[in-house]
Amino acid sequence: MQHIDPPTFDARDVYTTCIANARPNSRKRLESFTDAVADAASAYEAAAQGQALHTVTGLAATPGTRRDRKALEGVYTDRLAKDRAPGRHIYEALKGTTDQEGRRRDNRCPLCGEGLVTTLDHHLPKNTYPLLSVVPVNLIPACRDCNTGKRATVPVNAGDQTLHPYFDDFSHHPWLRARLRRPRGNEQPSMKFFVSPHPDWSDTLTERLQKHLKVFDLDYRYSLLVSSHIASTNHDLTMMPTNSVAPWLEHKAEGWRYRGNPNTMGYALFKALAADKWYVNGGWRGSSPETNLD
């Protein structure tokens, strides 16, 4: 849920680099798809800029034979991602986890904002769209949970599209929100994460945001992470007068903006705690018979 700049690699150059050391017969067959890969990349980029990747279904029909489709999928697996593959340096650059001198960069997953980048995710899956197997703008740096959770998801309409980190940027509005689930008995407080769109946003965009949370299972994954943050916060609050609690939580929320983007787990968490009167007025000290489970 963090916008990142799209890669500057040319799709045709990446493809030809990857197939450069293929054996003659294989290379000849793969070279016959070079123009089709470049054309598919152009069609993909135009659709992504128009938030209409659900309309590129025609790309899925090419090539027509199973043998050729597997060969194109293999360009990613064997010629880009594999150690010592001719395109491995491009794979590492697309992951972006190190700079040119090998120093580690901030490698937070742009899809969830919490995991560490360990792989590349095909935004449109390579088994359905083999022509896009090594198209750079279709390859998103991702953590393992996001990559495996999404699997081969394909959008079937405009609202079915997950956010694309290269082409979507909705960081000017805090649309990721949370609500405190008050504990019962010996339970611990927990959080429900949901979408709160800007009033001017379309129903389609709201559907896309909700789809993003669902496909990457973010409500569940975030809810597993917040317990330690709430426990640490409760400890800090023991030293604080009640009238200082809400302002301090608001201050904590601001610290969780990431490059100005408020759509992070921590920002939503601390905003929700600051807004909950029960919690602010002492609910943090222990459980309550009240519930606001939804």
Side-chain angles (χ1 to χ4, degrees):
M1 299 189 299
Q2 180 69 34
H3 172 76
I4 53 177
D5 293 334
T8 57
F9 291 106
D10 178 78
R12 181 186 293 271
D13 291 343
V14 170
Y15 183 72
T16 55
T17 297
C18 289
I19 67 174
N21 71 342
R23 293 181 178 178
N25 287 343
S26 295
R27 188 169 66 246
K28 184 176 181 181
R29 187 170 79 250
L30 291 171
E31 284 175 344
S32 69
F33 293 109
T34 302
D35 288 342
V37 168
D39 291 345
S42 297
Y44 176 98
E45 187 161 351
Q49 289 172 342
Q51 300 179 19
L53 281 175
H54 62 291
T55 65
V56 298
T57 51
L59 298 178
T62 305
T65 69
R66 178 179 174 81
R67 182 187 180 201
D68 287 337
R69 297 177 73 87
K70 286 295 181 185
L72 285 174
E73 289 181 47
V75 174
Y76 172 82
T77 307
D78 300 327
R79 305 185 180 282
L80 184 80
K82 197 172 184 178
D83 285 343
R84 289 180 285 186
R88 180 68 188 194
H89 64 291
I90 300 172
Y91 177 88
E92 293 294 343
L94 291 171
K95 279 205 310 180
T97 53
T98 57
D99 63 19
Q100 293 181 343
E101 297 177 354
R103 295 173 298 198
R104 295 193 68 81
R105 287 175 168 168
D106 181 356
N107 59 344
R108 192 178 302 193
C109 174
L111 298 170
C112 67
E114 288 298 319
L116 299 179
V117 171
T118 58
T119 188
L120 295 177
D121 177 68
H122 287 82
H123 191 76
L124 290 183
K126 65 180 184 301
N127 60 350
T128 306
Y129 296 90
L131 289 175
L132 301 174
S133 289
V134 296
V135 168
V137 287
N138 190 44
L139 300 173
I140 313 296
C143 67
R144 189 173 303 280
D145 284 343
C146 284
N147 180 246
T148 57
K150 177 170 168 282
R151 296 184 182 279
T153 302
V154 175
V156 297
N157 55 53
D160 209 32
Q161 302 172 89
T162 58
L163 298 184
H164 197 309
Y166 296 145
F167 298 99
D168 294 320
D169 184 4
F170 304 109
S171 60
H172 57 286
H173 176 71
W175 55 266
L176 176 66
R177 306 303 286 266
R179 180 166 49 247
L180 181 67
R181 285 169 157 165
R182 296 173 190 168
R184 294 176 296 183
N186 293 325
E187 293 178 351
Q188 297 298 315
S190 60
M191 283 284 167
K192 170 71 176 177
F193 288 85
F194 59 96
V195 171
S196 178
H198 189 283
D200 292 338
W201 289 355
S202 67
D203 291 342
T204 298
L205 176 53
T206 301
E207 290 175 19
R208 290 190 63 200
L209 299 173
Q210 292 170 337
K211 183 72 176 184
H212 192 90
L213 258 64
K214 181 178 180 180
V215 165
F216 294 106
D217 203 14
L218 296 183
D219 174 40
Y220 175 71
R221 289 168 58 193
Y222 289 163
S223 68
L224 296 179
L225 295 172
V226 299
S227 58
S228 61
H229 293 292
I230 293 176
S232 174
T233 299
N234 291 348
H235 177 73
D236 291 340
L237 294 181
T238 61
M239 306 293 290
M240 197 172 297
T242 299
N243 61 0
S244 298
V245 170
W248 184 78
L249 292 169
E250 290 280 358
H251 180 74
K252 288 276 287 185
E254 291 300 319
W256 275 83
R257 287 180 183 265
Y258 182 67
R259 298 177 181 172
N261 180 11
N263 297 299
T264 66
M265 178 205 71
Y267 184 89
L269 164 65
F270 286 104
K271 277 288 188 180
L273 292 178
D276 191 284
K277 292 182 179 178
W278 169 81
Y279 182 82
V280 167
N281 291 321
W284 55 270
R285 292 189 177 91
S287 61
S288 165
E290 298 181 64
T291 66
N292 63 352
L293 293 173
D294 48 16

